Amino acid sequence: MTTPFQKASEWIDAENAQDPNQESYKNSTYPKELLYSNRMYTKLMSFYPEASEEVQIASKAQHICRWKVARESYPMDRVGYLKWREELKKFHAKTAAVILEKAGYNAEFIARVSFLIEKKLLKKDTETQLLEDVICLVFLEYYLDPFVHKHDEEKLKNIIKKTWDKMSDNGHQEALKINYSAENLELIKASLGL
């Protein structure tokens, strides 16, 4: 018999598989948000295998259908960016909630997943912090390098410092185990004064 978790995971993957944006990784091409979702879940399970089902679902649904809310639909300034990010959190939480209800989860479970996706009580709620650590670890492992080729050193140092500040001590320890390029490792050390 299929569990609610299996159904929800399958349906989240099916939604993310519709992403028209593609990303290449190790000689294969994937729908961008499906690849991100898989990276999030894999990183969570390697970093904290005893994560609750709510965090597991939240990790998979973190960017669900992100391409449907275009950055260009908001002003292209800092305020517009922050508004877009806030709206995205709500959109991801609502999109996931519909799937979870269909999969048979109760209202309390769905509310908790929404709470996590919206990153409420960061630094105060241990599961929100766990999810944020995973988001930062996935960024550092897979998305820092493309950033390095787009931005100047000062901006990169600022991004790395902000990322580091969002993480827990456990997250920091895990981040230092990532296999960075020599250049990126130097950049990280310089950014953090290590």
Side-chain angles (χ1 to χ4, degrees):
M1 181 161 151
T2 315
T3 65
F5 180 80
Q6 288 168 322
K7 284 183 200 165
S9 295
E10 196 178 300
W11 293 337
I12 289 166
D13 286 350
E15 287 294 323
N16 280 328
Q18 295 175 47
D19 189 352
N21 305 297
Q22 301 288 301
E23 188 172 325
S24 295
Y25 181 65
K26 292 190 174 176
N27 302 320
S28 293
T29 305
Y30 304 89
K32 187 178 174 186
E33 295 309 343
L34 179 62
L35 182 61
Y36 180 78
S37 174
N38 289 336
R39 284 171 169 169
M40 282 289 295
Y41 181 73
T42 302
K43 179 58 71 182
L44 172 67
M45 298 317 286
S46 68
F47 175 53
Y48 197 78
E50 56 275 23
S52 71
E53 207 163 299
E54 289 91 338
V55 181
Q56 291 181 46
I57 294 279
S59 75
K60 287 191 71 65
Q62 186 62 33
H63 278 186
I64 189 168
C65 299
R66 174 161 280 216
W67 67 92
K68 292 183 179 179
V69 183
R71 170 67 185 96
E72 295 73 32
S73 57
Y74 291 83
M76 296 304 283
D77 56 16
R78 179 87 183 135
V79 175
Y81 173 75
L82 294 174
K83 182 145 182 52
W84 173 65
R85 291 291 301 266
E86 275 310 302
E87 292 303 315
L88 273 174
K89 287 182 203 172
K90 291 176 190 159
F91 168 73
H92 297 320
K94 280 181 191 162
T95 306
V98 171
I99 288 173
L100 295 178
E101 191 172 357
K102 195 170 82 168
Y105 283 107
N106 64 31
E108 189 183 347
F109 184 98
I110 295 167
R112 181 66 181 158
V113 172
S114 295
F115 176 98
L116 293 168
I117 290 174
E118 291 185 45
K119 294 201 253 183
K120 292 186 176 172
L121 295 181
L122 186 59
K123 298 282 184 192
K124 295 189 175 108
D125 184 279
T126 54
E127 290 191 321
T128 302
Q129 185 59 55
L130 171 59
L131 189 62
E132 185 65 34
D133 280 346
V134 173
I135 291 164
C136 294
L137 290 167
V138 166
F139 168 73
L140 289 168
E141 184 163 352
Y142 298 104
Y143 301 98
L144 175 63
D145 200 55
F147 261 76
V148 166
H149 302 292
K150 285 186 205 160
H151 301 289
D152 64 66
E153 193 172 329
E154 276 317 299
K155 177 149 189 177
L156 288 166
K157 283 182 175 177
N158 191 30
I159 289 167
I160 290 165
K161 180 132 184 31
K162 280 183 179 169
T163 302
W164 203 257
D165 288 346
K166 290 179 193 171
M167 298 170 80
S168 69
D169 291 343
N170 287 343
H172 293 156
Q173 288 168 25
E174 193 69 17
L176 294 172
K177 295 177 193 170
I178 292 170
N179 188 18
Y180 302 102
S181 69
E183 298 81 11
N184 289 354
L185 184 58
E186 281 310 305
L187 177 64
I188 289 166
K189 287 181 172 176
S191 308
L192 304 173
L194 297 176

